[in-house]
Amino acid sequence: EGFVIRAVELNRSEGKITLDGVRDTPGMVSHLFQEMAGRNIDVNLIVQNSGPAGDAHVTFTVRREQLEAARTACEAVREKLGATAVEADANIATVSVIGVGMRSHTDVAARMFAALARANVNIDLISTSEIEIECVVRESEACRAHQALLQEFHPELE
Amino acid sequence: EGFVIRAVELNRSEGKITLDGVRDTPGMVSHLFQEMAGRNIDVNLIVQNSGPAGDAHVTFTVRREQLEAARTACEAVREKLGATAVEADANIATVSVIGVGMRSHTDVAARMFAALARANVNIDLISTSEIEIECVVRESEACRAHQALLQEFHPELE
Ligand SMILES: C[C@@H](O)[C@H](N)C(=O)O
Ligand SMILES: C[C@@H](O)[C@H](N)C(=O)O
C-alpha cells in the first residue's frame, strides 16, 4: 500500500458544536461559516453527513475558550439553517494518525479503530483526509485512546 | 491566520457507501473496516457523525470499480453493526482545497462553501484534516464545483 505512519497526535484543547437537521440545500454551510468568520471563531475539524430526508448533520470543533461564542453564533443562524438543535460539548479529545502516501486508508483505519476498540474507547466522530485520520472521543478516555494508538503504531514511529 | 493554499483538486473516480443507524458502542467501526481490509477494499474518505439516540452515521468512499464489493461487504456486517440501511452511490465527485499552516479553517471554509453556494452546488459531505477540506458533491455538478473553487482560489494558486 506504500504508506508510512509519521505521527500519532492527541488534542485535548477543543470542544465541539453539533447542528442537527440543517437544510440540505446550497448555501447553508456557507452561511454558517461566514458567521463564524465574521465573529473570528477559529474552526478546526468540520464534518458533515447528509440524511435521507433532506437534512444534514454538521459538527465542528473549536478551542474550548471559543466554545460558548461558537454556540451563540450558531443560535444566531439556527433558524436560517433550519437546524433543529445546536449542542455544545466541551468534554472531547481528538486522536489522529498522520501518514504519507495514504492512498488507501483501509489498513490504517482498521488498525486504528481496532486499537481503540481493544481499549474500550468509543469513537464519536471520524474525519479523514489524504494524510490523516482523526477520531473524536470523550475527554475522559483521551489518555487511554492515545496510549492505545501509540502502542499500535509504535514500531513505525521509531 | 498564516495559511497558504497549495492546491484545488477534483476526484471523479469514487463512489460512496453510507451506513445508517450504526450502534454507537466501541468496536463497531473496527469491525466494519476489518471487513474492508479482509476483502482488499481501498477506502479513501471516512466520515462519521453520532446521533443523539445511540446511533451513528458512517460514510466512506471507494473507487467506483470497488463500490459493489464494498456494498456486499457492508451487507455482510450490517446486522452485527445494528445498521438500519446500507446505501451505495456511484454518482459523486470530491472537490478539495489543500493548504499548509491551516490552524484555523474558518476563512478557507467560508470561502470554499461560499464559492460552491454561488455556483448553486449542494454539499453532500464535508471532511477535514489539518491541511485539507474535502467536499463531496453530485457527479453532475463536478465541473461547476471545481471551476468555482479554481476561480475563488486562483490568486493564491499562481
Ligand atoms: C447541508 C449543507 O452542507 C448544504 N448541503 C449546503 O450546501 O450548504
Ligand atoms: C459508531 C462507531 O464509531 C462506534 N462508536 C465505535 O466506536 O466503533
Side-chain angles (χ1 to χ4, degrees), chain B residues 68-155:
Chain B
E68 274 316 303
R71 187 220 293 261
T72 301
C74 289
E75 287 295 347
V77 298
R78 189 175 63 75
E79 205 168 324
K80 172 142 190 185
L81 266 51
T84 48
V86 174
E87 297 193 5
D89 183 353
N91 299 321
I92 64 160
T94 303
V95 285
S96 314
V97 175
I98 298 160
V100 287
M102 282 167 82
R103 286 313 315 159
S104 167
H105 290 107
T106 311
D107 291 357
V108 183
R111 289 171 63 192
M112 183 183 189
F113 303 155
L116 294 173
R118 280 193 302 273
N120 204 32
V121 172
N122 197 50
I123 300 167
D124 271 2
L125 194 89
I126 302 168
S127 189
T128 48
S129 76
E130 202 171 313
I131 68 158
E132 190 170 9
I133 302 176
E134 302 194 60
C135 290
V136 171
V137 302
R138 303 316 301 157
E139 217 302 313
S140 55
E141 298 183 356
C143 273
R144 208 160 80 235
H146 191 221
Q147 287 306 312
L149 294 183
L150 288 171
Q151 200 165 358
E152 172 62 33
F153 295 103
H154 172 81

Side-chain angles (χ1 to χ4, degrees), chain A residues 22-30 48 56 58, chain B residues 121-124 126:
Chain A
V22 174
R23 243 191 302 279
D24 193 9
T25 55
M28 294 298 108
V29 288
S30 173
Q48 177 200 308
V58 182
Chain B
V121 172
N122 197 50
I123 300 167
D124 271 2
I126 302 168

Side-chain angles (χ1 to χ4, degrees), chain A residues 41 44 46 50 105-106 124, chain B residues 41 44 46 50 105-106 124 128:
Chain A
I41 290 166
N44 185 12
I46 304 168
S50 297
H105 290 107
T106 311
D124 271 0
Chain B
I41 290 165
N44 186 12
I46 304 167
S50 294
H105 290 107
T106 311
D124 271 2
T128 48

